[in-house]
Amino acid sequence: MSLLKLRSQIFSFVSKFYFAILICVIGFGIACFWILYPIENEGLLGIGSDRDEALNIAFGELMQGRYPYFANTHLGGKITPLPGAILIASPFILLGNSAYQNLFWLGVFIVLTTIYLESYVSAIIMLIFLSVLSPAFQYEYISGGDLIANSIYVLTAIFLQMKALPSASLSAKISTSLFTGIALASRSNFLTLLPLIFILFWRASGRRLAVTLTYLSVSVLTFISIVMPFYLVLPNSFPPFFAGNKLNELNASLPFVSTGIILLTLLVSLFLSLHLVKVPTANLLRSFMICCAAVQTLPMVCGVLLMSILNQQLDFRFLSHRYGLLFLFFALWGLWPVLLAQNPSKGSAPSA
């Protein structure tokens, strides 16, 4: 059986039983989290993860009027998400746990992917494909870590602002700009995407430079206003910039190598942004996603190569923290239309 025929049969089957499959996916996802999260939280499925705890503790410290980045998790880890991640997680922490945000943002991801691919079938198949084939996704999900939600809400913010810039109301443009700034203020690695985001928004606004600079400035100023008050307390050891930057682990063997990798990443981002200037409009968003995935991947590739050279053997420990999830959703949106997408059913979800 050819791959094309198999793909066609998969899309046909999912289209026919869409609602049943959707309910099964939602039910199975909630059940897995409900059963496995407490088990993993006890450290019975691995070394345990403290990403959910870090956000919970940070929010609790803020509510007590204390500086959140002095605290540590039960594993001795520092609080490494930037304040934007704490802010976005806060509604879920008020509901009981920051880990709940993954459930919400995966739902958002299905909706946005349906809009982006114009296919509700492709959206659910993408999620199933991701859930089955990515061990990193599986463990991050059952451990309640925020990398899944973090990736999705950054992607969501960029997508919504891009859609708002051409013709939306002033309030919609400002709201999406503010949301983009908050989302970028979640982890510092997303700042390397700014050259690409600038070109995307410039193209989306009809190449109107003043409009692009105005609303991107709102996003950048939002980032600064959220992060700067916390950074100034510990400018030389701010955990999200130091403890949260795994590249710093290489500095003991190769001084300042982390700075070099960051500068290289920014240079690549600038180079790819020039490529986006010439990309046909029809392929702009897909190309943007691929470029974002490449930029987010580069530091990890550099880390693996340098660790392997230093240890004189292949060393993938640099990937053990599952930070690859931060580029995975961008890569899926960029590559899916080329490799696997098929649109037998366009538009909105099927009627009952």
Side-chain angles (χ1 to χ4, degrees):
M1 181 183 298
S2 69
L3 290 177
L4 289 176
K5 185 176 181 181
L6 177 61
R7 185 182 68 175
S8 179
Q9 289 181 347
I10 291 173
F11 273 81
S12 178
F13 177 83
V14 173
S15 180
K16 184 176 181 180
F17 299 102
Y18 175 78
F19 283 116
I21 292 172
L22 180 63
I23 291 171
C24 287
V25 167
I26 295 173
F28 183 74
I30 293 174
C32 281
F33 178 80
W34 189 265
I35 295 169
L36 296 177
Y37 174 71
I39 298 174
E40 193 283 333
N41 217 31
E42 295 295 326
L44 300 178
L45 295 178
I47 62 173
S49 174
D50 59 357
R51 288 197 180 106
D52 54 333
E53 184 188 3
L55 290 170
N56 294 337
I57 290 174
F59 181 78
E61 292 293 291
L62 280 172
M63 290 299 98
Q64 295 296 320
R66 294 190 291 263
Y67 184 70
Y69 294 103
F70 287 143
N72 294 316
T73 69
H74 77 284
L75 294 178
K78 296 289 187 180
I79 309 298
T80 57
L82 284 168
I86 303 170
L87 179 60
I88 291 175
S90 60
F92 306 95
I93 299 172
L94 290 172
L95 290 174
N97 199 324
S98 67
Y100 301 155
Q101 66 178 327
N102 284 335
L103 299 170
F104 172 80
W105 287 109
L106 282 170
V108 172
F109 180 71
I110 292 177
V111 174
L112 285 186
T113 303
T114 298
I115 296 171
Y116 167 57
L117 296 177
E118 299 181 311
S119 171
Y120 54 86
V121 175
S122 286
I124 196 67
I125 290 177
M126 181 187 290
L127 181 59
I128 294 172
F129 175 87
L130 174 63
S131 303
V132 171
L133 297 182
S134 174
F137 174 90
Q138 295 164 7
Y139 191 80
E140 189 71 8
Y141 178 74
I142 65 170
S143 68
D146 69 316
L147 295 183
I148 295 171
N150 196 179
S151 307
I152 295 173
Y153 62 66
V154 170
L155 186 152
T156 298
I158 294 170
F159 182 74
L160 291 179
Q161 187 169 355
M162 183 204 72
K163 291 293 186 181
L165 282 176
S167 57
S169 65
L170 177 63
S171 60
K173 291 177 182 178
I174 293 176
S175 298
T176 54
S177 299
L178 291 171
F179 181 36
T180 299
I182 296 170
L184 292 176
S186 56
R187 275 188 168 83
S188 57
N189 57 287
F190 290 117
L191 291 178
T192 59
L193 302 180
L194 280 175
L196 296 166
I197 294 172
F198 171 79
I199 297 300
L200 177 70
F201 289 173
W202 175 64
R203 295 282 305 272
S205 66
R207 300 178 186 263
R208 293 177 293 173
L209 184 59
V211 171
T212 305
L213 289 175
T214 298
Y215 292 105
L216 190 56
S217 295
V218 172
S219 299
V220 172
L221 290 173
T222 301
F223 175 96
I224 293 171
S225 65
I226 291 173
V227 173
M228 192 58 65
F230 295 93
Y231 169 75
L232 291 176
V233 176
L234 295 171
N236 297 318
S237 59
F238 187 50
F241 291 166
F242 294 92
N245 185 356
K246 297 304 176 184
L247 293 173
N248 287 332
E249 297 175 6
L250 297 169
N251 289 340
S253 301
L254 298 169
F256 306 109
V257 70
S258 63
T259 302
I261 293 175
I262 293 171
L263 291 175
L264 175 63
T265 304
L266 283 170
L267 185 63
V268 170
S269 183
L270 285 168
F271 176 78
L272 291 176
S273 68
L274 296 177
H275 164 71
L276 283 183
V277 173
K278 300 178 290 184
V279 169
T281 302
N283 297 328
L284 177 61
L285 185 56
R286 177 173 60 81
S287 297
F288 169 80
M289 294 297 166
I290 293 173
C291 291
C292 286
V295 168
Q296 294 290 289
T297 303
L298 181 60
M300 285 174 284
V301 172
C302 291
V304 169
L305 287 175
L306 290 174
M307 289 285 285
S308 298
I309 292 170
L310 290 171
N311 295 320
Q312 298 182 338
Q313 61 180 2
L314 283 175
D315 190 334
F316 293 99
R317 285 179 297 166
F318 199 79
L319 302 179
S320 63
H321 300 285
R322 302 182 299 284
Y323 284 108
L325 289 169
L326 294 175
F327 75 79
L328 184 58
F329 291 91
F330 289 97
L332 280 172
W333 269 32
L335 297 175
W336 192 272
V338 178
L339 301 178
L340 296 170
Q342 179 177 340
N343 293 338
S345 305
K346 286 193 174 186
S348 59
S351 58

